[in-house]
Amino acid sequence: QVQLVESGGGLVQAGGSLRLSCLASGSGFSMRAMGWYRQAPGKQRELVATITSGGSTNYADSVKGRFTISRDNAAYMVYLQMNSLKPEDTAVYYCNAGTGGTWSRGPAYWGRGTQVTVSS
C-alpha cells in the first residue's frame, strides 16, 4: 500500500508561482513512477505531469515550459513546481503513484488533493 499526502496549494495571482509537494509512505517508492493530475470544476481530470523511476518526465501540452516535476527518493517526496500560473490552472491537484517504474498502467494510488486557485 502507498499513502500520498499533498501540500503547497493556495491562492496566487496570475503570473505567480507555487510548489506542490507530495509525501509518500509505503513500499517501493523509488521504484514507482509518480504523477500529478488535476481536476477543475466541471471539467475532466487531466494528467499534468509524470516522472518515471529513472527520472524521465512527461508533461501535458498545457503546462509544458511552465511546470516541472521532480522527485527526491531519499525523502519520499515528489514536487510540482508551477511557474507563470494562469487562471485556467485553477484546479484540485492530485498526487499519484504508479504500480511500476513507468506510467504505462496509469495511477494506482491517489492522494486527497490540494486546491490551487489562480486569480486574474
Side-chain angles (χ1 to χ4, degrees), residues 26-120:
S27 62
F29 173 76
S30 64
M31 295 181 289
R32 296 182 188 273
M34 300 295 295
W36 289 91
Y37 274 78
R38 68 184 179 185
Q39 187 164 24
K43 294 189 176 181
Q44 284 194 333
R45 199 166 284 179
E46 176 187 21
L47 179 59
V48 175
T50 62
I51 184 166
T52 68
S53 58
S56 296
T57 58
N58 213 351
Y59 298 93
D61 288 342
S62 57
V63 306
K64 276 181 184 176
R66 300 188 299 122
F67 289 13
T68 302
I69 187 171
S70 61
R71 65 191 299 161
D72 181 346
N73 289 335
Y76 287 72
M77 295 291 293
V78 179
Y79 304 100
L80 186 68
Q81 178 67 43
M82 306 185 295
N83 299 328
S84 302
L85 283 161
K86 305 175 182 181
E88 50 264 43
D89 295 318
T90 296
V92 178
Y93 284 72
Y94 298 91
C95 179
N96 316 102
T99 55
T102 68
W103 205 249
S104 60
R105 296 184 181 180
Y109 302 95
W110 291 78
R112 291 189 176 184
T114 184
Q115 176 71 47
V116 171
T117 303
V118 184
S119 63
S120 57

